[in-house]
Amino acid sequence: MTPTPRTLFSSEHDQFRDTVRRFVATELAPHHAEWEDAQVVPREVWRKAGAAGLLCCSLPEEYGGPGADWLYDVVVIEELSYAGMTGPGFMVHSEMCAPYILAWGTEELKREWLPKMVTGEAIGAIAMTEPGAGSDVKNVKLRARRDGDDYVLDGQKVYISNGQTADVVVTAAKTDPEAGARGMSLIAVPTASAGFERGRNLKKIGLKAQDTSELFYSGVRVPLANRLGEEGQGFSMLMTKLAQERLTQAIRSVAVAEAAIRWTFDYVRGREAFDGTIADFQNTQFTLAQLEAETTAQRVFVDWCIARHLKGELTSVEAAKAKLVASDLHCKVVDQCLQFFGGYGYMQEYPIARAYIDARIVKIAGGAMEVMKQIIWRDMAKRNA
C-alpha cells in the first residue's frame, strides 16, 4: 500500500497480512453497507474474527491469546483502514479495553474475560467520556462508592464505542471525589450487572456501522476485585495507555491517507475530461504529488513511533505529535482527493465519500487536537525552561 520500504515487518507478519486481507474481503467488505444501515456489526462477525486470529493478537497464550508481538495488531488496524472498514470496533476491543485488563486486572478477572475477548465471545469497551468530561478525563463525575466488598456505581457515560454490544466495560469512576485526578479508579463492569443500562445507539455523521452509545449506571454493584490496579490510580493508568491509543489512531490515519491517494490515482487516470484524463492536468499531478510526499513523511514518523512503542520507549509527547499530525493529514488527504471525483465523490457508494465522512472524528477521538497541542507545548516549555 505504501511506496516507502518498511523494515518493521517480518515474512510472518506479511503472511498474516494476507490472512487479514482475505478476511476483510470475504467477511467484512460485502456486508459493510448493511451494517451502516443497521448501525451495528453482528456479534457473529466478532466470533469469526476471533476464529481467524484478528482479535487481541498480542495477548499472552496463558490467557487464550496468540502470544504474538504488537505488530500483528498493527497489521489488523492497517488492513481494516485500507479497506475503509470502520464498523467493526476491533481497535477499541483489542487496543484499548483488553490492555487495561491485562496490565492491571486480578488474575481471576483476566482469566474470566481475556480468553473470551480473544475468541470474540465477549466484546470489550472503555468508558471515559461523560457529558461534562470529554478530553478532560480527570473531571469525570461517575461515582463508585465502597459498600462492603463491592463498589456501587452511579452516573453516566456518553460516546462509548461498542456500547451496544459490549459485555465488559472498563469504566473510569471517581472513588474519591475530593481527590481530583488521584480520586479516579478504573473498574471492569460486566454489562449484565443489575442497574446497568444502555442508552440509544447514537446517530453519527460518520462511522455509521460502529455502535456508539450512552451508558447509564444506577446502583450498579460489582466486586472490589473488579477494580484494575490500586484505588485512585486510574488517571495514571489512563495516561500510560493513552499513548498506545493515540498511536493506533495515527496508524489508522496514515493507512487511510495512503488508501485515499491510491483510489484517487487510479480514478484520475481513467476519468476522461477535456480531450484527456484528469491525470493529465498539472494541478492533479502537483496536488497528488504533494499529498504523497506528506503521507510518506508521516508514514516514516509513525513507523518510528511503532518501533519505539515495541521497545517500551514511546513517550506520551511523541504519541501526541503522531496523532496530531496524522489526524490533520488524514482529513486533508480525503478532502483534497474527494475533489478529483467531482459529483461521484459525494456518493456514498464510493470509498472516498465514506472516508471523507468518517474522517472528521479523528480530530476528536483519543484526545482533541487542542489537547495534543497542549501536551506538546508543555513539553516544549519544560525542555526550554
Side-chain angles (χ1 to χ4, degrees):
M1 292 293 181
T2 171
T4 310
R6 304 179 71 186
T7 58
L8 286 171
F9 301 101
S10 67
S11 58
E12 288 79 10
H13 295 119
D14 293 336
Q15 291 171 8
F16 180 65
R17 188 180 293 276
D18 290 338
T19 298
V20 178
R21 195 170 294 166
R22 285 193 299 271
F23 183 89
V24 170
T26 58
E27 300 293 343
L28 303 185
H31 312 291
H32 202 267
E34 301 169 23
W35 302 336
E36 289 186 332
D37 290 338
Q39 292 188 281
V40 68
V41 174
R43 295 185 69 93
E44 177 61 25
V45 175
W46 287 82
R47 289 189 285 270
K48 288 182 179 180
L54 272 64
L55 302 179
C56 305
C57 300
S58 53
L59 279 184
E61 293 181 10
E62 62 183 305
Y63 301 117
D69 62 56
W70 191 64
L71 287 174
Y72 285 81
D73 293 290
V74 172
V75 168
V76 175
I77 296 166
E78 289 183 344
E79 288 305 315
L80 266 66
S81 301
Y82 287 140
M85 297 294 102
T86 57
F90 299 162
M91 195 167 81
V92 171
H93 173 91
S94 299
E95 313 306 324
M96 300 176 196
C97 180
Y100 284 99
I101 297 175
L102 176 65
W104 293 293
T106 63
E107 190 66 21
E108 181 181 358
L109 198 67
K110 287 187 277 193
R111 294 194 180 279
E112 177 182 4
W113 287 108
L114 294 180
K116 291 186 287 188
M117 292 180 72
V118 172
T119 63
E121 180 185 351
I123 299 172
I126 184 162
M128 291 186 283
T129 307
E130 297 180 7
S135 295
D136 186 9
V137 181
K138 66 179 180 294
N139 198 36
V140 301
K141 297 292 192 294
L142 188 144
R143 181 78 166 92
R145 59 179 178 82
R146 285 191 180 224
D147 183 20
D149 293 330
D150 295 334
Y151 282 113
V152 180
L153 285 77
D154 290 280
Q156 177 183 356
K157 298 292 182 180
V158 70
Y159 311 139
I160 307 305
S161 299
N162 295 345
Q164 290 290 311
T165 50
D167 300 285
V168 59
V169 180
V170 172
T171 303
K174 278 293 177 69
T175 43
D176 183 354
E178 307 303 320
R182 295 185 179 182
M184 180 191 296
S185 301
L186 298 183
I187 301 170
V189 178
T191 58
S193 303
F196 179 92
E197 292 185 15
R198 309 175 202 268
R200 59 194 176 95
N201 195 357
L202 300 173
K203 293 185 178 181
K204 310 179 294 295
I205 63 172
L207 305 181
K208 293 183 178 180
Q210 187 178 117
D211 59 296
T212 307
S213 305
E214 299 171 299
L215 303 179
F216 299 94
Y217 302 70
S218 181
V220 176
R221 184 177 292 270
V222 297
L224 295 178
N226 279 35
R227 187 188 66 232
L228 306 183
E230 297 299 318
E231 189 169 279
Q233 295 301 306
F235 185 77
S236 63
M237 293 177 197
L238 289 173
M239 294 304 100
T240 299
K241 291 299 181 185
L242 275 173
Q244 176 172 310
E245 178 180 345
R246 286 163 181 165
L247 178 56
T248 60
Q249 299 274 3
I251 291 167
R252 180 172 64 180
S253 286
V254 174
V256 172
E258 290 172 340
I261 292 170
R262 174 173 50 82
W263 299 332
T264 308
F265 182 78
D266 292 341
Y267 180 81
V268 297
R269 289 198 300 170
R271 178 64 173 172
E272 295 182 359
F274 303 102
D275 301 319
T277 68
I278 299 175
D280 294 329
F281 293 106
Q282 189 179 71
N283 176 66
T284 303
Q285 298 166 6
F286 280 14
T287 299
L288 290 180
Q290 181 73 32
L291 296 178
E292 174 83 351
E294 293 179 15
T295 302
T296 298
Q298 188 60 16
R299 158 61 65 209
V300 173
F301 177 52
V302 169
D303 276 4
W304 179 84
C305 288
I306 293 171
R308 295 266 294 166
H309 183 58
L310 290 169
K311 293 186 288 186
E313 298 175 356
L314 182 72
T315 68
S316 60
V317 176
E318 291 163 352
K321 289 177 179 179
K323 182 188 183 299
L324 175 69
V325 180
S327 297
D328 196 50
L329 179 67
H330 181 162
C331 293
K332 174 182 177 179
V333 168
V334 296
D335 179 59
Q336 294 192 15
C337 283
L338 185 148
Q339 187 69 18
F340 289 115
F341 287 78
Y344 292 109
Y346 209 64
M347 300 296 108
Q348 278 193 248
E349 60 264 32
Y350 278 74
I352 192 65
R354 297 194 298 275
Y356 179 87
I357 294 168
D358 292 336
R360 189 58 180 82
I361 190 61
V362 302
K363 292 188 176 185
I364 301 170
M369 301 285 270
E370 292 75 15
V371 174
M372 301 303 100
K373 292 174 184 177
Q374 279 188 324
I375 292 169
I376 297 165
W377 169 254
R378 287 170 183 166
D379 178 68
M380 291 171 63
K382 181 179 179 181
R383 286 186 289 107
N384 293 282

